[in-house]
Amino acid sequence: MKHSNGAQLFLRNDPAKTAPLSTKKPLTIGKASTNLLCMPQTDGVADHHAVVRWSVGHGWLICDWGSQEGTFLEGQRIRNCRPISDGDEIQLGKVGPVLVFRLAPASSQPTPEPAVKSSAGGNLEFAGQLIPMNQIKFVQLLSRPRYPASFSWWALLSLGALVVLPWPPAFWTLELVVLAGWIVLGSRKEHVLLVTLLDGMAYRHSFANKVTALGHRNGIRKAIGQPSSA
């Protein structure tokens, strides 16, 4: 660890020990020597424990690497990634060290880049990947049922009710309840934005809201020179 005037992490028990953060390169944390922040002799730390990285859309993030010991943000165990703010405390494992996130002064904070760059040589951050804009072949939005098997379950329960409930009033009451549940589940959809590259590689990201997904799709298409309605 060393001193840095920018965004950084420091040990709560030894504030003189700091690790600078870069918007260009994630800070990997763990016991293994391949980590940028290597803590080989520290209890509660896994070989590959956590990552602190910069996201265009969300700012600074702390991400757990699926460590058995867990990563805790302000006392709460996290899954995947969570945004962090100035002064937040990150604990590695239940008995591991506590790292404090310190944001750079306002004058030196990184200026967030637009989610979609208009220049042909720019990059797009999508699904955790940095994709060259000039390598994108096409972008499409796929909407599909979130619970595709809901009709099958409704039919199965209906047939089961005919066998178990011989009384018509009880059967029709259950039938209406199950039908209402099928309608609710069947109407829910997942909207997947698919970005396909020239080499055939594809990346996808799911949205619960179609309007949001369409906004992202149209923004990317505009940036790569394709019509929004294509």
Side-chain angles (χ1 to χ4, degrees), residues 52-126:
V52 177
R53 66 181 182 87
W54 171 259
S55 166
V56 172
H58 302 285
W60 290 106
L61 301 173
I62 173 67
C63 307
D64 183 74
W65 266 5
S67 63
Q68 184 176 356
E69 297 82 354
T71 301
F72 297 81
L73 175 62
E74 292 294 301
Q76 298 294 320
R77 184 166 184 171
I78 66 171
R79 305 291 180 183
N80 301 320
C81 298
R82 289 278 299 276
I84 49 178
S85 303
D86 188 34
D88 280 353
E89 295 189 345
I90 301 163
Q91 183 168 7
L92 306 176
K94 292 183 178 180
V95 297
V98 176
L99 303 172
V100 182
F101 173 71
R102 180 63 66 202
L103 198 59
S107 59
S108 59
Q109 289 181 23
T111 302
E113 303 175 43
V116 178
K117 294 183 179 179
S118 58
S119 62
N123 296 319
L124 166 73
E125 184 178 323
F126 183 80

Side-chain angles (χ1 to χ4, degrees), residues 7-69:
Q8 59 186 260
L9 297 176
F10 66 84
L11 279 173
R12 186 178 66 182
N13 293 339
D14 190 353
K17 294 183 178 179
T18 66
L21 298 172
S22 169
T23 58
K24 303 298 183 182
K25 190 173 184 179
L27 180 75
T28 55
I29 307 170
K31 282 187 175 181
S33 60
T34 52
N35 292 290
L36 291 179
L37 178 52
C38 180
M39 311 178 81
Q41 306 299 326
T42 308
D43 293 335
V45 179
D47 287 343
H48 301 282
H49 200 116
V51 182
V52 177
R53 66 181 182 87
W54 171 259
S55 166
V56 172
H58 302 285
W60 290 106
L61 301 173
I62 173 67
C63 307
D64 183 74
W65 266 5
S67 63
Q68 184 176 356
E69 297 82 354

Side-chain angles (χ1 to χ4, degrees), residues 192-215:
V192 180
L193 191 61
L194 184 67
V195 175
T196 304
L197 307 187
L198 295 174
D199 61 4
M201 184 71 71
Y203 299 94
R204 62 185 62 207
H205 184 75
S206 298
F207 295 87
N209 186 285
K210 187 175 182 178
V211 174
T212 302
L214 282 172

